[in-house]
Amino acid sequence: MTVMTKPDHTTGRATVSALALSPATAKPDLISVEQAKAMDVARMTDLFKAHLNPGQLHFMKLLGFHKIKIERAEGMFYIDQNGRKILDFFGGFGSLAFGHNHPRLLEARKKFQEEKRQEIAIAFMSQYAAALAHNLAKCSPGDLDMVFLGSSGSEAMEAAVKLAERAAGPKRPKIVYAENSFHGKTKGVLAITDGSLYRADFKMADNVVRIPFADIEAVERTFRSDPEIGVIVLETIQGGGGIIQAPAEYWQKLRALCDQYGVLWVADEVQCGYGRSGRFYAFEHYGVVPDVTALAKSLGGGKAAVGAMIARREVYMKAYGTPKTAMIHAMATFGGMGEACVTSIEALNVLYDEGLIDNAAVTGDYLLQRLQALREKYPKIIKEVRGKGLMVGLEFHDFSQTLPMVLRPVVSVLDDKLKGSLSGFVGALLLRDYDVLVAFTEYNRNVIRLEPPLICQRENVDRFVEALDSLLSRGIVSIVKDFVKSQVR
């Protein structure tokens, strides 16, 4: 490229013509915001297949989810392209404590934008990050008061595990985790996420030890036999495992064993925390406090991506307490962003102002009672109902056990391959015929996962249970036929 210069007669220096530097950069064929909003389902499908995840589209088509374009969402409901209101009992895997577009959160974000407050201020202290950290410390029991802010549950858990490993020290590098655990998909926590699907053929960290969940004898044997163990990481309620809990005495003995052997306990509360269980943290039900914990999901109010690690000051200072170590794991670029923090600050206030933790406990009990009654009505279909607060698992029997006796021996050999089929059929038909959205679990595919927003009321529970009752009353054979018909339309 030839650059044209001309003399500057006032200074004697040559200046470069801006126009001569390069031709104008051509704008690619970009989609505008308004064009994106107006996009139809066919175009969405094409772009999803071309640029996002064509394999995932296969499963969306099986469930009928690919036919829906969500136009907007409010409270407990999605509204699709036809104006259909879909009751949300999925809740974004626990990310929607406040429902969709809570007015107080919208107002806080709007005011932040209108006043043109700082969003990224890495070079300076942020009043919003400081305030959010203070609020999280106030919500946390014991001396959990040192906070790291990030953008996701995986990031929060990465921070938690790194901090615990450093505080445990180089002579105790091993980390214990549980069967059927889920702690994230990023490379570090993948080593303590017990799923072959997610692990695939990635090279895992080798300083981990796997034990059964809720087996305190296994914990004690492992601690006693290996002095290199410095950390244990556990979900207080296993979400991906199928909404699995351990009894109170397990957690109390775990705390005692960690103290006895000098092992640091990391409680993963990314999904079960933030009021979902009927307490701010699920571990509070058992009168114990971990050394490190993590939150995410609803921490951003359903409007911002926010995750947080909260640690005991003593543990934090061991890991990062000097000027030389302070920056080993400081906040990343998008940790503590202004509007995200403001959203989280307002969300925490709404959580308490509107009594949503107590509502999760009361409405969750009502949901469990109604589902237990349904289990008694359909004992050959529903195997178990379990959960705490508004984190509930509904487990179906293996497929063969739901069929007439004469068919069971023939079908039972296929139970493993058919695992998850019934929950998938039920989930698909609840959406298609009853306008109700539910979720599933990673490891026990026979389980439907229910994590409605914490604003859920009894009438929402009644509508969901009545829809499920109506669907199950068709009988398994009819449910299968109805699902098959939906695939050939």
Side-chain angles (χ1 to χ4, degrees):
M1 179 182 70
T2 301
V3 178
M4 302 298 293
T5 63
K6 59 182 179 179
D8 183 332
H9 297 294
T10 60
T11 64
R13 292 179 298 182
T15 61
V16 179
S17 170
L19 292 177
L21 283 174
S22 66
T25 302
K27 183 179 180 180
D29 183 17
L30 303 179
I31 296 171
S32 71
V33 172
E34 287 305 311
Q35 288 171 331
K37 179 184 176 185
M39 193 180 293
D40 62 19
V41 171
R43 177 68 168 148
M44 289 166 57
T45 302
D46 288 343
L47 295 181
F48 192 96
K49 187 174 182 179
H51 303 299
L52 286 171
N53 193 329
Q56 185 180 356
L57 187 62
H58 165 77
F59 296 104
M60 296 177 78
K61 286 181 176 179
L62 280 177
L63 296 167
F65 291 4
H66 70 298
K67 300 176 182 178
I68 294 170
K69 175 190 175 185
I70 298 301
E71 294 285 3
R72 59 190 185 90
E74 185 174 357
M76 288 290 299
F77 297 92
Y78 288 104
I79 298 91
D80 76 358
Q81 71 271 33
N82 301 312
R84 178 171 66 141
K85 295 181 71 175
I86 299 169
L87 180 63
D88 186 3
F89 260 61
F90 176 0
F93 293 122
S95 299
L96 292 160
F98 308 95
H100 299 273
N101 289 306
H102 191 287
R104 275 182 59 177
L105 303 184
L106 294 181
E107 183 59 32
R109 291 168 68 84
K110 180 182 177 183
K111 190 172 182 181
F112 182 94
Q113 294 163 14
E114 288 175 345
E115 295 179 359
K116 298 181 180 177
R117 297 184 228 164
Q118 79 277 12
E119 187 66 90
I120 297 176
I122 301 170
F124 310 102
M125 289 185 292
S126 165
Q127 61 268 53
Y128 307 115
L132 177 56
H134 167 273
N135 287 357
L136 287 170
K138 286 293 184 182
C139 293
S140 301
D143 55 351
L144 289 168
D145 60 3
M146 297 299 290
V147 177
F148 168 90
L149 296 174
S151 304
S152 69
S154 291
E155 189 180 359
M157 282 304 298
E158 292 277 4
V161 173
K162 284 179 70 177
L163 178 133
E165 185 177 335
R166 268 194 62 80
K171 293 182 179 180
R172 307 190 67 177
K174 292 187 180 179
I175 300 169
V176 175
Y177 72 101
E179 294 175 357
N180 293 327
S181 60
F182 183 89
H183 298 292
K185 298 177 186 176
T186 50
K187 193 63 161 55
V189 290
L190 198 57
I192 54 172
T193 290
D194 188 35
S196 58
L197 173 66
Y198 303 124
R199 287 175 167 232
D201 54 0
F202 295 111
K203 171 67 175 175
M204 295 293 108
D206 59 5
N207 62 326
V208 296
V209 179
R210 179 175 177 263
I211 63 170
F213 182 68
D215 184 340
I216 199 64
E217 286 76 20
V219 174
E220 185 164 17
R221 283 195 305 272
T222 305
F223 285 5
R224 186 173 58 245
S225 65
D226 193 342
E228 290 192 346
I229 288 170
V231 180
I232 184 168
V233 183
L234 299 167
E235 296 162 273
T236 314
I237 301 174
Q238 287 193 326
I243 318 299
I244 305 298
Q245 302 175 73
E249 54 268 26
Y250 172 85
W251 298 108
Q252 291 155 6
K253 289 179 180 177
L254 175 72
R255 179 69 274 177
L257 286 171
C258 285
D259 292 340
Q260 178 183 344
Y261 288 93
V263 174
L264 296 174
W265 167 26
V266 177
D268 183 344
E269 294 260 340
V270 166
Q271 190 169 154
C272 62
Y274 204 81
R276 181 149 297 278
S277 73
R279 300 292 295 270
F280 187 81
Y281 293 104
F283 59 72
E284 291 183 273
H285 287 283
Y286 313 117
V288 290
V289 179
D291 300 292
V292 187
T293 189
L295 295 170
K297 302 293 186 185
S298 289
L299 183 56
K303 300 300 295 181
V306 184
M309 175 208 73
I310 307 97
R312 293 173 48 225
R313 173 173 291 273
E314 178 186 356
V315 176
Y316 183 92
M317 296 303 285
K318 280 183 181 178
Y320 307 129
T322 69
K324 285 186 177 181
T325 59
M327 301 305 291
I328 290 174
H329 199 87
M331 282 193 295
T333 306
F334 299 117
M337 287 182 70
E339 189 172 333
C341 287
V342 164
T343 308
S344 294
I345 291 167
E346 185 70 357
L348 280 168
N349 279 278
V350 171
L351 187 70
Y352 288 95
D353 291 346
E354 297 190 0
L356 297 184
I357 298 176
D358 295 333
N359 184 65
V362 173
T363 306
D365 283 346
Y366 180 64
L367 173 61
L368 286 165
Q369 290 168 17
R370 295 234 37 202
L371 289 175
Q372 289 290 2
L374 214 58
R375 186 185 69 82
E376 293 171 9
K377 186 175 181 179
Y378 302 103
K380 293 181 180 179
I381 300 176
I382 300 176
K383 179 179 181 180
E384 188 177 4
V385 174
R386 53 182 178 265
K388 193 177 287 293
L390 288 173
M391 186 173 181
V392 173
L394 178 71
E395 183 173 358
F396 296 113
H397 285 288
D398 281 336
F399 202 83
S400 66
Q401 300 305 303
T402 68
L403 297 173
M405 189 67 70
V406 68
L407 296 175
R408 290 183 186 179
V410 178
V411 178
S412 63
V413 296
L414 299 173
D415 272 338
D416 189 58
K417 290 184 178 180
L418 292 173
K419 196 172 285 289
S421 297
L422 182 54
S423 59
F425 298 162
V426 169
L429 294 175
L430 279 173
L431 179 62
R432 190 193 73 178
D433 298 343
Y434 300 93
D435 303 334
V436 174
L437 180 66
V438 297
F440 310 98
T441 62
E442 286 89 344
Y443 303 134
N444 187 343
R445 290 169 290 157
N446 284 345
V447 177
I448 281 181
R449 177 171 10 190
L450 305 172
E451 295 183 11
L454 305 191
I455 62 171
C456 184
Q457 299 297 308
R458 288 171 70 98
E459 56 264 32
N460 304 128
V461 171
D462 290 338
R463 177 177 162 184
F464 164 70
V465 174
E466 287 160 13
L468 183 59
D469 187 8
S470 174
L471 177 56
L472 296 182
S473 71
R474 300 179 192 179
I476 294 301
V477 175
S478 292
I479 288 173
V480 174
K481 287 181 178 178
D482 290 343
F483 177 80
V484 171
K485 286 178 183 177
S486 73
Q487 296 299 301
V488 297
R489 286 179 183 173

